[in-house]
Amino acid sequence: MKEITVNGITLAVHDEGTGPPILFVHGFPLSHSMWQPQVFTFAGDHRVIVPDLRGFGESDVTEGTVTMEQHADDLLALLDELNVNEPVVLCGLSMGGYIAWQFQQKYADRLRALILCDTRAIADTPEGAENRQRLAKMVIENGSAAVASAMLPNLFSPATGDRDQSVIDELRQTIAATSPQGIAAASLGMAERPDVTPLLSSIETPTLLIVGEDDGISTPEEMKTIADAMPNARLEVIPKAGHMSPLENPKSVNAAIHGFLQSFTS
Ligand code: MLT
């Protein structure tokens, strides 16, 4: 991992390979490690840039509220520090998708394409935002392992537990090792995120949307409405996967990403 200073903090980033750049942005409350199956597959002929976001993994933590826009600004500064001048394919999962919307709004000229996995365009309902505030308080009081126990049942397809419990165990360890302050700050930031639904029809960036067939957080139905609203997007539904589709069924997700990359590079 490299350590890169951006916007007054240090971010840890895995930077491997050469070729067209792909920036992988993890979900909440995870780290760069969730993209391991994609790094393994795509680093052979791409430059894969896989940061730990502010507050996660080995990156610095800032307290308070960290907005999705702040994360997008960090990513832009990171690309600049790494001298990545050509437009990137930005691949984000869930919270990584919320950040991708902000990146697209502010820095569209730095984007070659978007890959949005298991994410949403709408803002939180008032009730959803209250739950985020509760979680932010709870993680400071009870620690990150409690967040892992609360979240894990909703993240995976039943098929994943039947096939390979170790994927779930590893994610539990990642969450338990995450800073409570980092989790709280991102949770409060997600509660503030805007509804981007009105913007979807104006996003010309080529976009691949990916969703696990059993995702109960960002459902296939909801992601279809996003695909239908965007002029240059298509949706792939991944079998035997839930909200963590790139980890649960990497073979199908990587095939979808590969086909998408081919569609505009060949
Ligand atoms: C994630 O996977 O990043 C979270 O499910 C996002 C969220 O809580 O909305």
Short mmCIF file of all heavy atoms in Angstrom, two decimals, residues 111-171:
data_model
loop_
_atom_site.label_atom_id
_atom_site.label_comp_id
_atom_site.label_asym_id
_atom_site.label_seq_id
_atom_site.Cartn_x
_atom_site.Cartn_y
_atom_site.Cartn_z
N LEU A 111 -13.75 11.29 -15.98
CA LEU A 111 -14.37 9.96 -16.02
C LEU A 111 -14.43 9.41 -17.43
O LEU A 111 -14.95 10.08 -18.34
CB LEU A 111 -15.81 10.03 -15.51
CG LEU A 111 -16.07 9.99 -14.01
CD1 LEU A 111 -17.58 10.05 -13.79
CD2 LEU A 111 -15.49 8.72 -13.40
N ARG A 112 -13.97 8.16 -17.60
CA ARG A 112 -14.16 7.47 -18.88
C ARG A 112 -15.49 6.73 -18.86
O ARG A 112 -16.20 6.68 -19.87
CB ARG A 112 -13.00 6.47 -19.09
CG ARG A 112 -13.09 5.67 -20.36
CD ARG A 112 -12.86 6.59 -21.56
NE ARG A 112 -13.09 5.92 -22.83
CZ ARG A 112 -14.27 5.78 -23.42
NH1 ARG A 112 -15.38 6.25 -22.85
NH2 ARG A 112 -14.38 5.17 -24.60
N ALA A 113 -15.79 6.14 -17.69
CA ALA A 113 -17.03 5.37 -17.56
C ALA A 113 -17.31 5.13 -16.08
O ALA A 113 -16.43 5.32 -15.23
CB ALA A 113 -16.89 4.01 -18.28
N LEU A 114 -18.54 4.73 -15.80
CA LEU A 114 -18.94 4.40 -14.43
C LEU A 114 -19.37 2.94 -14.36
O LEU A 114 -20.07 2.45 -15.26
CB LEU A 114 -20.15 5.24 -14.01
CG LEU A 114 -19.94 6.71 -13.67
CD1 LEU A 114 -21.29 7.42 -13.54
CD2 LEU A 114 -19.14 6.84 -12.37
N ILE A 115 -18.97 2.28 -13.26
CA ILE A 115 -19.53 0.95 -12.93
C ILE A 115 -20.09 1.09 -11.52
O ILE A 115 -19.34 1.36 -10.57
CB ILE A 115 -18.45 -0.15 -13.00
CG1 ILE A 115 -17.81 -0.19 -14.39
CG2 ILE A 115 -19.05 -1.50 -12.63
CD1 ILE A 115 -16.58 -1.10 -14.49
N LEU A 116 -21.39 0.96 -11.39
CA LEU A 116 -22.04 1.20 -10.11
C LEU A 116 -22.67 -0.09 -9.62
O LEU A 116 -23.62 -0.61 -10.25
CB LEU A 116 -23.10 2.30 -10.26
CG LEU A 116 -22.54 3.63 -10.79
CD1 LEU A 116 -23.67 4.61 -11.05
CD2 LEU A 116 -21.53 4.22 -9.83
N CYS A 117 -22.12 -0.63 -8.55
CA CYS A 117 -22.58 -1.92 -8.03
C CYS A 117 -23.47 -1.70 -6.82
O CYS A 117 -23.08 -0.98 -5.88
CB CYS A 117 -21.39 -2.78 -7.58
SG CYS A 117 -20.07 -2.95 -8.79
N ASP A 118 -24.65 -2.33 -6.81
CA ASP A 118 -25.48 -2.42 -5.61
C ASP A 118 -25.58 -1.07 -4.89
O ASP A 118 -25.21 -0.95 -3.72
CB ASP A 118 -24.90 -3.51 -4.68
CG ASP A 118 -24.80 -4.85 -5.39
OD1 ASP A 118 -25.82 -5.55 -5.46
OD2 ASP A 118 -23.71 -5.19 -5.93
N THR A 119 -26.09 -0.08 -5.62
CA THR A 119 -26.16 1.27 -5.04
C THR A 119 -27.53 1.90 -5.30
O THR A 119 -28.40 1.29 -5.91
CB THR A 119 -25.00 2.13 -5.57
OG1 THR A 119 -24.86 3.28 -4.75
CG2 THR A 119 -25.23 2.56 -7.01
N ARG A 120 -27.71 3.09 -4.79
CA ARG A 120 -28.99 3.78 -4.88
C ARG A 120 -28.78 5.21 -5.38
O ARG A 120 -27.70 5.78 -5.21
CB ARG A 120 -29.66 3.85 -3.49
CG ARG A 120 -29.60 2.56 -2.74
CD ARG A 120 -30.39 2.62 -1.45
NE ARG A 120 -31.81 2.49 -1.74
CZ ARG A 120 -32.78 2.54 -0.82
NH1 ARG A 120 -32.47 2.76 0.45
NH2 ARG A 120 -34.04 2.41 -1.14
N ALA A 121 -29.84 5.78 -5.95
CA ALA A 121 -29.78 7.19 -6.39
C ALA A 121 -30.55 8.10 -5.43
O ALA A 121 -30.25 9.28 -5.33
CB ALA A 121 -30.35 7.31 -7.80
N ILE A 122 -31.53 7.54 -4.76
CA ILE A 122 -32.37 8.37 -3.87
C ILE A 122 -31.63 8.72 -2.58
O ILE A 122 -30.68 8.04 -2.20
CB ILE A 122 -33.71 7.67 -3.53
CG1 ILE A 122 -33.45 6.29 -2.91
CG2 ILE A 122 -34.60 7.56 -4.75
CD1 ILE A 122 -34.69 5.60 -2.40
N ALA A 123 -32.12 9.78 -1.92
CA ALA A 123 -31.59 10.14 -0.61
C ALA A 123 -32.24 9.24 0.45
O ALA A 123 -33.17 8.48 0.15
CB ALA A 123 -31.92 11.60 -0.31
N ASP A 124 -31.75 9.33 1.68
CA ASP A 124 -32.41 8.62 2.78
C ASP A 124 -33.77 9.24 3.07
O ASP A 124 -33.94 10.46 2.96
CB ASP A 124 -31.57 8.74 4.07
CG ASP A 124 -30.38 7.79 4.08
OD1 ASP A 124 -30.33 6.87 3.24
OD2 ASP A 124 -29.51 7.98 4.94
N THR A 125 -34.71 8.41 3.49
CA THR A 125 -35.95 8.94 4.07
C THR A 125 -35.59 9.55 5.43
O THR A 125 -34.52 9.24 5.99
CB THR A 125 -36.96 7.80 4.31
OG1 THR A 125 -36.33 6.85 5.20
CG2 THR A 125 -37.33 7.11 3.01
N PRO A 126 -36.46 10.38 6.01
CA PRO A 126 -36.17 10.91 7.35
C PRO A 126 -35.90 9.78 8.35
O PRO A 126 -34.99 9.86 9.18
CB PRO A 126 -37.45 11.68 7.71
CG PRO A 126 -38.03 12.08 6.39
CD PRO A 126 -37.69 10.96 5.43
N GLU A 127 -36.66 8.68 8.21
CA GLU A 127 -36.46 7.54 9.12
C GLU A 127 -35.08 6.89 8.88
O GLU A 127 -34.36 6.54 9.82
CB GLU A 127 -37.57 6.53 8.85
CG GLU A 127 -37.68 5.44 9.86
CD GLU A 127 -38.68 4.37 9.41
OE1 GLU A 127 -38.95 4.23 8.20
OE2 GLU A 127 -39.17 3.66 10.29
N GLY A 128 -34.72 6.77 7.61
CA GLY A 128 -33.40 6.20 7.27
C GLY A 128 -32.27 7.05 7.83
O GLY A 128 -31.28 6.54 8.37
N ALA A 129 -32.43 8.38 7.72
CA ALA A 129 -31.39 9.29 8.22
C ALA A 129 -31.30 9.18 9.75
O ALA A 129 -30.19 9.23 10.31
CB ALA A 129 -31.71 10.72 7.79
N GLU A 130 -32.44 9.01 10.40
CA GLU A 130 -32.40 8.82 11.87
C GLU A 130 -31.67 7.54 12.24
O GLU A 130 -30.93 7.50 13.22
CB GLU A 130 -33.83 8.76 12.43
CG GLU A 130 -34.40 10.12 12.77
CD GLU A 130 -35.86 10.02 13.14
OE1 GLU A 130 -36.27 8.99 13.75
OE2 GLU A 130 -36.60 10.97 12.80
N ASN A 131 -31.89 6.49 11.46
CA ASN A 131 -31.18 5.23 11.73
C ASN A 131 -29.67 5.41 11.61
O ASN A 131 -28.90 4.84 12.37
CB ASN A 131 -31.63 4.13 10.76
CG ASN A 131 -33.01 3.62 11.10
OD1 ASN A 131 -33.46 3.74 12.25
ND2 ASN A 131 -33.70 3.05 10.12
N ARG A 132 -29.25 6.23 10.64
CA ARG A 132 -27.82 6.50 10.48
C ARG A 132 -27.28 7.21 11.73
O ARG A 132 -26.16 6.95 12.16
CB ARG A 132 -27.56 7.42 9.29
CG ARG A 132 -28.15 6.96 7.99
CD ARG A 132 -27.11 6.32 7.13
NE ARG A 132 -27.59 6.16 5.79
CZ ARG A 132 -27.29 5.12 5.02
NH1 ARG A 132 -26.53 4.15 5.47
NH2 ARG A 132 -27.74 5.03 3.79
N GLN A 133 -28.08 8.17 12.23
CA GLN A 133 -27.63 8.90 13.43
C GLN A 133 -27.53 7.95 14.62
O GLN A 133 -26.60 8.02 15.41
CB GLN A 133 -28.56 10.08 13.71
CG GLN A 133 -28.17 11.30 12.87
CD GLN A 133 -29.35 12.09 12.35
OE1 GLN A 133 -30.46 11.93 12.86
NE2 GLN A 133 -29.12 12.93 11.35
N ARG A 134 -28.50 7.05 14.70
CA ARG A 134 -28.47 6.05 15.79
C ARG A 134 -27.23 5.16 15.66
O ARG A 134 -26.55 4.86 16.64
CB ARG A 134 -29.74 5.19 15.76
CG ARG A 134 -30.78 5.63 16.78
CD ARG A 134 -31.82 4.54 17.00
NE ARG A 134 -32.61 4.30 15.80
CZ ARG A 134 -33.64 5.06 15.43
NH1 ARG A 134 -34.03 6.07 16.17
NH2 ARG A 134 -34.31 4.80 14.34
N LEU A 135 -26.95 4.75 14.41
CA LEU A 135 -25.78 3.88 14.21
C LEU A 135 -24.50 4.62 14.58
O LEU A 135 -23.59 4.04 15.21
CB LEU A 135 -25.73 3.41 12.76
CG LEU A 135 -24.61 2.40 12.45
CD1 LEU A 135 -25.12 1.30 11.52
CD2 LEU A 135 -23.39 3.04 11.83
N ALA A 136 -24.42 5.91 14.24
CA ALA A 136 -23.22 6.70 14.55
C ALA A 136 -22.99 6.75 16.07
O ALA A 136 -21.86 6.67 16.55
CB ALA A 136 -23.35 8.10 13.97
N LYS A 137 -24.09 6.86 16.80
CA LYS A 137 -23.98 6.92 18.27
C LYS A 137 -23.61 5.53 18.82
O LYS A 137 -22.75 5.38 19.67
CB LYS A 137 -25.35 7.35 18.82
CG LYS A 137 -25.35 7.93 20.18
CD LYS A 137 -26.61 8.79 20.39
CE LYS A 137 -26.70 9.18 21.85
NZ LYS A 137 -27.41 8.19 22.66
N MET A 138 -24.29 4.54 18.26
CA MET A 138 -24.10 3.16 18.73
C MET A 138 -22.66 2.69 18.53
O MET A 138 -22.07 2.05 19.40
CB MET A 138 -25.09 2.25 17.97
CG MET A 138 -25.16 0.83 18.42
SD MET A 138 -23.97 -0.24 17.59
CE MET A 138 -24.93 -0.90 16.24
N VAL A 139 -22.05 3.04 17.39
CA VAL A 139 -20.70 2.53 17.12
C VAL A 139 -19.68 3.17 18.07
O VAL A 139 -18.72 2.51 18.48
CB VAL A 139 -20.31 2.71 15.62
CG1 VAL A 139 -20.07 4.16 15.24
CG2 VAL A 139 -19.07 1.89 15.30
N ILE A 140 -19.90 4.41 18.45
CA ILE A 140 -18.98 5.04 19.40
C ILE A 140 -19.13 4.38 20.77
O ILE A 140 -18.15 4.12 21.48
CB ILE A 140 -19.25 6.57 19.49
CG1 ILE A 140 -19.08 7.25 18.13
CG2 ILE A 140 -18.36 7.22 20.56
CD1 ILE A 140 -17.67 7.23 17.56
N GLU A 141 -20.39 4.05 21.13
CA GLU A 141 -20.63 3.45 22.45
C GLU A 141 -20.24 1.97 22.51
O GLU A 141 -19.66 1.51 23.49
CB GLU A 141 -22.12 3.58 22.82
CG GLU A 141 -22.48 5.00 23.23
CD GLU A 141 -23.99 5.23 23.30
OE1 GLU A 141 -24.76 4.26 23.11
OE2 GLU A 141 -24.37 6.40 23.51
N ASN A 142 -20.57 1.23 21.45
CA ASN A 142 -20.44 -0.24 21.53
C ASN A 142 -19.31 -0.82 20.68
O ASN A 142 -19.03 -2.01 20.79
CB ASN A 142 -21.75 -0.90 21.10
CG ASN A 142 -22.91 -0.48 21.98
OD1 ASN A 142 -22.71 -0.02 23.10
ND2 ASN A 142 -24.11 -0.61 21.47
N GLY A 143 -18.73 -0.01 19.79
CA GLY A 143 -17.62 -0.51 18.99
C GLY A 143 -18.05 -1.06 17.64
O GLY A 143 -19.23 -1.29 17.38
N SER A 144 -17.05 -1.27 16.79
CA SER A 144 -17.32 -1.64 15.40
C SER A 144 -17.82 -3.08 15.24
O SER A 144 -18.56 -3.38 14.29
CB SER A 144 -16.05 -1.44 14.57
OG SER A 144 -15.62 -0.11 14.68
N ALA A 145 -17.43 -3.97 16.16
CA ALA A 145 -17.90 -5.37 16.04
C ALA A 145 -19.43 -5.42 16.14
O ALA A 145 -20.08 -6.25 15.48
CB ALA A 145 -17.26 -6.23 17.12
N ALA A 146 -20.01 -4.51 16.92
CA ALA A 146 -21.47 -4.48 17.05
C ALA A 146 -22.12 -4.07 15.73
O ALA A 146 -23.19 -4.58 15.36
CB ALA A 146 -21.88 -3.50 18.16
N VAL A 147 -21.45 -3.18 15.00
CA VAL A 147 -21.97 -2.78 13.68
C VAL A 147 -21.90 -3.97 12.72
O VAL A 147 -22.82 -4.21 11.93
CB VAL A 147 -21.17 -1.58 13.13
CG1 VAL A 147 -21.53 -1.29 11.68
CG2 VAL A 147 -21.42 -0.35 13.99
N ALA A 148 -20.81 -4.71 12.81
CA ALA A 148 -20.68 -5.90 11.94
C ALA A 148 -21.85 -6.85 12.19
O ALA A 148 -22.49 -7.32 11.24
CB ALA A 148 -19.34 -6.59 12.20
N SER A 149 -22.15 -7.10 13.44
CA SER A 149 -23.24 -8.05 13.76
C SER A 149 -24.58 -7.52 13.27
O SER A 149 -25.42 -8.28 12.80
CB SER A 149 -23.31 -8.30 15.27
OG SER A 149 -22.10 -8.90 15.68
N ALA A 150 -24.77 -6.19 13.38
CA ALA A 150 -26.05 -5.61 12.94
C ALA A 150 -26.19 -5.64 11.43
O ALA A 150 -27.28 -5.86 10.90
CB ALA A 150 -26.15 -4.16 13.45
N MET A 151 -25.08 -5.43 10.71
CA MET A 151 -25.19 -5.29 9.24
C MET A 151 -25.10 -6.59 8.47
O MET A 151 -25.73 -6.74 7.42
CB MET A 151 -24.08 -4.34 8.74
CG MET A 151 -24.31 -2.90 9.09
SD MET A 151 -23.09 -1.82 8.29
CE MET A 151 -23.51 -2.01 6.54
N LEU A 152 -24.27 -7.52 8.94
CA LEU A 152 -23.94 -8.68 8.11
C LEU A 152 -25.14 -9.47 7.59
O LEU A 152 -25.13 -9.88 6.43
CB LEU A 152 -22.98 -9.62 8.86
CG LEU A 152 -21.51 -9.20 8.80
CD1 LEU A 152 -20.67 -10.12 9.68
CD2 LEU A 152 -20.96 -9.20 7.38
N PRO A 153 -26.20 -9.67 8.42
CA PRO A 153 -27.32 -10.47 7.89
C PRO A 153 -27.96 -9.88 6.63
O PRO A 153 -28.59 -10.61 5.86
CB PRO A 153 -28.33 -10.46 9.05
CG PRO A 153 -27.53 -10.15 10.27
CD PRO A 153 -26.40 -9.26 9.81
N ASN A 154 -27.78 -8.57 6.40
CA ASN A 154 -28.43 -7.95 5.24
C ASN A 154 -27.52 -7.85 4.02
O ASN A 154 -27.96 -7.42 2.96
CB ASN A 154 -28.89 -6.52 5.59
CG ASN A 154 -29.86 -6.53 6.74
OD1 ASN A 154 -30.72 -7.42 6.82
ND2 ASN A 154 -29.72 -5.57 7.64
N LEU A 155 -26.26 -8.23 4.17
CA LEU A 155 -25.32 -7.95 3.09
C LEU A 155 -25.18 -9.08 2.07
O LEU A 155 -24.76 -8.84 0.94
CB LEU A 155 -23.92 -7.63 3.66
CG LEU A 155 -23.81 -6.36 4.51
CD1 LEU A 155 -22.36 -6.14 4.95
CD2 LEU A 155 -24.29 -5.13 3.74
N PHE A 156 -25.52 -10.31 2.49
CA PHE A 156 -25.19 -11.46 1.63
C PHE A 156 -26.43 -12.23 1.18
O PHE A 156 -27.41 -12.31 1.92
CB PHE A 156 -24.26 -12.42 2.37
CG PHE A 156 -22.88 -11.85 2.58
CD1 PHE A 156 -22.54 -11.23 3.77
CD2 PHE A 156 -21.93 -11.92 1.57
CE1 PHE A 156 -21.27 -10.70 3.97
CE2 PHE A 156 -20.66 -11.40 1.75
CZ PHE A 156 -20.33 -10.78 2.95
N SER A 157 -26.32 -12.85 0.01
CA SER A 157 -27.32 -13.82 -0.44
C SER A 157 -27.21 -15.07 0.42
O SER A 157 -26.09 -15.46 0.81
CB SER A 157 -27.03 -14.18 -1.90
OG SER A 157 -27.71 -15.35 -2.26
N PRO A 158 -28.33 -15.76 0.69
CA PRO A 158 -28.23 -17.04 1.40
C PRO A 158 -27.28 -18.01 0.67
O PRO A 158 -26.60 -18.82 1.30
CB PRO A 158 -29.66 -17.59 1.39
CG PRO A 158 -30.54 -16.40 1.10
CD PRO A 158 -29.70 -15.39 0.36
N ALA A 159 -27.21 -17.88 -0.64
CA ALA A 159 -26.36 -18.79 -1.43
C ALA A 159 -24.89 -18.65 -1.04
O ALA A 159 -24.13 -19.62 -1.09
CB ALA A 159 -26.52 -18.48 -2.92
N THR A 160 -24.48 -17.45 -0.60
CA THR A 160 -23.06 -17.24 -0.28
C THR A 160 -22.68 -17.99 0.99
O THR A 160 -21.63 -18.65 1.04
CB THR A 160 -22.77 -15.74 -0.15
OG1 THR A 160 -23.07 -15.14 -1.40
CG2 THR A 160 -21.32 -15.46 0.21
N GLY A 161 -23.53 -17.92 2.02
CA GLY A 161 -23.25 -18.66 3.25
C GLY A 161 -23.21 -20.15 3.00
O GLY A 161 -22.37 -20.86 3.58
N ASP A 162 -24.09 -20.64 2.13
CA ASP A 162 -24.10 -22.08 1.81
C ASP A 162 -22.80 -22.48 1.10
O ASP A 162 -22.29 -23.57 1.30
CB ASP A 162 -25.28 -22.42 0.88
CG ASP A 162 -26.62 -22.23 1.59
OD1 ASP A 162 -26.61 -22.10 2.84
OD2 ASP A 162 -27.65 -22.17 0.90
N ARG A 163 -22.29 -21.56 0.27
CA ARG A 163 -21.14 -21.92 -0.55
C ARG A 163 -19.82 -21.73 0.17
O ARG A 163 -18.94 -22.58 0.13
CB ARG A 163 -21.16 -21.07 -1.84
CG ARG A 163 -20.32 -21.63 -2.95
CD ARG A 163 -20.17 -20.68 -4.13
NE ARG A 163 -19.43 -19.49 -3.76
CZ ARG A 163 -19.94 -18.28 -3.63
NH1 ARG A 163 -21.22 -18.09 -3.84
NH2 ARG A 163 -19.20 -17.25 -3.29
N ASP A 164 -19.67 -20.56 0.86
CA ASP A 164 -18.35 -20.23 1.42
C ASP A 164 -18.50 -19.23 2.57
O ASP A 164 -18.48 -18.02 2.36
CB ASP A 164 -17.47 -19.63 0.30
CG ASP A 164 -16.05 -19.38 0.77
OD1 ASP A 164 -15.75 -19.73 1.92
OD2 ASP A 164 -15.26 -18.84 -0.02
N GLN A 165 -18.59 -19.77 3.78
CA GLN A 165 -18.77 -18.93 4.96
C GLN A 165 -17.56 -18.02 5.19
O GLN A 165 -17.68 -16.96 5.82
CB GLN A 165 -19.01 -19.86 6.17
CG GLN A 165 -19.25 -19.17 7.50
CD GLN A 165 -20.53 -18.31 7.56
OE1 GLN A 165 -21.51 -18.63 6.90
NE2 GLN A 165 -20.49 -17.23 8.33
N SER A 166 -16.40 -18.39 4.64
CA SER A 166 -15.19 -17.60 4.93
C SER A 166 -15.28 -16.18 4.36
O SER A 166 -14.72 -15.24 4.91
CB SER A 166 -13.94 -18.31 4.40
OG SER A 166 -13.92 -18.25 3.00
N VAL A 167 -16.04 -16.00 3.26
CA VAL A 167 -16.22 -14.66 2.68
C VAL A 167 -16.91 -13.75 3.71
O VAL A 167 -16.54 -12.60 3.91
CB VAL A 167 -17.07 -14.74 1.39
CG1 VAL A 167 -17.38 -13.36 0.84
CG2 VAL A 167 -16.37 -15.56 0.34
N ILE A 168 -17.90 -14.32 4.39
CA ILE A 168 -18.68 -13.56 5.38
C ILE A 168 -17.81 -13.30 6.62
O ILE A 168 -17.79 -12.19 7.16
CB ILE A 168 -19.97 -14.32 5.74
CG1 ILE A 168 -20.79 -14.55 4.46
CG2 ILE A 168 -20.78 -13.57 6.80
CD1 ILE A 168 -22.02 -15.41 4.63
N ASP A 169 -17.06 -14.31 7.04
CA ASP A 169 -16.20 -14.15 8.22
C ASP A 169 -15.14 -13.07 7.98
O ASP A 169 -14.84 -12.27 8.87
CB ASP A 169 -15.51 -15.48 8.56
CG ASP A 169 -16.52 -16.54 9.01
OD1 ASP A 169 -17.65 -16.15 9.37
OD2 ASP A 169 -16.18 -17.74 8.99
N GLU A 170 -14.59 -13.05 6.78
CA GLU A 170 -13.55 -12.04 6.49
C GLU A 170 -14.14 -10.64 6.50
O GLU A 170 -13.51 -9.69 6.98
CB GLU A 170 -12.91 -12.32 5.12
CG GLU A 170 -11.82 -13.37 5.22
CD GLU A 170 -11.32 -13.83 3.86
OE1 GLU A 170 -11.35 -13.02 2.90
OE2 GLU A 170 -10.91 -14.99 3.77
N LEU A 171 -15.36 -10.50 5.99
CA LEU A 171 -15.97 -9.17 5.99
C LEU A 171 -16.26 -8.72 7.42
O LEU A 171 -16.10 -7.55 7.76
CB LEU A 171 -17.25 -9.15 5.15
CG LEU A 171 -17.52 -7.78 4.55
CD1 LEU A 171 -16.64 -7.52 3.35
CD2 LEU A 171 -18.97 -7.62 4.15
#
